[in-house]
Amino acid sequence: QVRLQESGPGLLKPSETLSLSCTVSGGSISPYYWSWIRQSPGKGLEWIGYISYSGITNYNPSLQSRVTMSVDTSNNHFSLNLSDVTAADTAVYYCARRKTNTYFFDYWGQGTLVTVSS
Amino acid sequence: DIQMTQSPSTLSASVGDRVTITCRASQSVSRWLAWYQQKPGKAPKLLIYDASSLESGVPSRFSGSGSETEFTLTISSLQPDDFATYYCQQSNSLTFGPGTKVDVK
């Protein structure tokens, strides 16, 4: 059974960079695409972007200027960096796997709450 | 960007009821739409993809239909485990609907 687990700081100050990692177990990073999705009370579920096992990326245009994703196939994990955070970036952040041949998400991590506050 | 709406925003129902939730897209998404179930404190769970394909392991009381701009999720006989919030998602710009909460009548 594929499992995803997010990790990273839960509290950031405005202007800092959010850095999260997602470790995949029970399956391989290859040959899938991996996403980050966040959920906040104000904006609901929001897709942040995805990265393939080979490093191909696609980011939400509304966040593109601040987002970077990377993948480490040898250690079966992928990462998210979101720069210059504000209170509006406070959310539960999920990592998820894109279902083969679709743009939908079949495996999700449990989510990690990130709060941005001074 | 394609905008998604769902109706109703809240639905009160009883065990055994037939429940229908509607999702509308601001422009055609063909059949590239999915439905998810989310319970409090948990990640969303994929139920239906490509408008009507049942994800493996999902009970057959869940079904999806529709195309282009209008889609429905139907639960044929609501079970206690089905009280949750349901979201649609389209694959063009990967946007989600605002959700429909199914609660106890």
Side-chain angles (χ1 to χ4, degrees), chain A residues 35 37 39 44-47 50 58 60-61 94 98-99 101-111, chain B residues 1 31-34 36 38 41-46 49-50 55 87 89-91 93-97:
Chain A
S35 272
I37 297 157
Q39 186 172 31
L45 285 160
E46 181 179 30
W47 170 72
Y50 64 69
N58 187 11
N60 186 323
Y94 295 100
R98 226 179 74 181
K99 184 176 176 69
N101 295 326
T102 77
Y103 284 86
F104 309 122
F105 308 106
D106 57 356
Y107 287 95
W108 295 64
Q110 65 185 20
Chain B
D1 257 11
R31 291 183 57 80
W32 312 130
L33 184 115
Y36 299 84
Q38 187 179 34
K42 301 293 187 182
K45 173 188 174 183
L46 180 64
Y49 64 96
D50 294 351
E55 176 68 353
Y87 296 92
Q89 180 226 330
Q90 55 87 10
S91 68
S93 51
L94 286 81
T95 51
F96 291 82

Side-chain angles (χ1 to χ4, degrees), chain B residues 43-64:
Chain B
K45 173 188 174 183
L46 180 64
L47 300 175
I48 301 285
Y49 64 96
D50 294 351
S52 62
S53 296
L54 192 68
E55 176 68 353
S56 176
V58 174
S60 59
R61 63 181 179 272
F62 291 93
S63 63

Side-chain angles (χ1 to χ4, degrees), chain A:
Chain A
Q1 177 76 342
V2 174
R3 292 184 185 273
L4 288 74
Q5 178 67 58
E6 304 89 350
S7 59
L11 180 62
L12 293 171
K13 291 180 167 42
S15 80
E16 292 184 333
T17 295
L18 179 160
S19 295
L20 295 175
S21 183
C22 181
T23 299
V24 180
S25 58
S28 175
I29 284 266
S30 304
Y32 296 97
Y33 282 65
W34 304 90
S35 272
W36 290 95
I37 297 157
R38 67 182 184 181
Q39 186 172 31
S40 61
K43 295 194 74 175
L45 285 160
E46 181 179 30
W47 170 72
I48 299 170
Y50 64 69
I51 186 165
S52 75
Y53 65 99
S54 61
I56 298 168
T57 56
N58 187 11
Y59 303 141
N60 186 323
S62 68
L63 298 168
Q64 187 166 2
S65 63
R66 299 193 291 132
V67 172
T68 305
M69 295 183 183
S70 60
V71 63
D72 180 349
T73 54
S74 58
N75 290 302
N76 244 30
H77 78 256
F78 60 103
S79 300
L80 167 70
N81 278 2
L82 180 67
S83 65
D84 194 23
V85 297
T86 69
D89 295 309
T90 294
V92 175
Y93 285 75
Y94 295 100
C95 56
R97 191 184 83 172
R98 226 179 74 181
K99 184 176 176 69
T100 303
N101 295 326
T102 77
Y103 284 86
F104 309 122
F105 308 106
D106 57 356
Y107 287 95
W108 295 64
Q110 65 185 20
T112 187
L113 175 62
V114 176
T115 302
V116 180
S117 175
S118 55

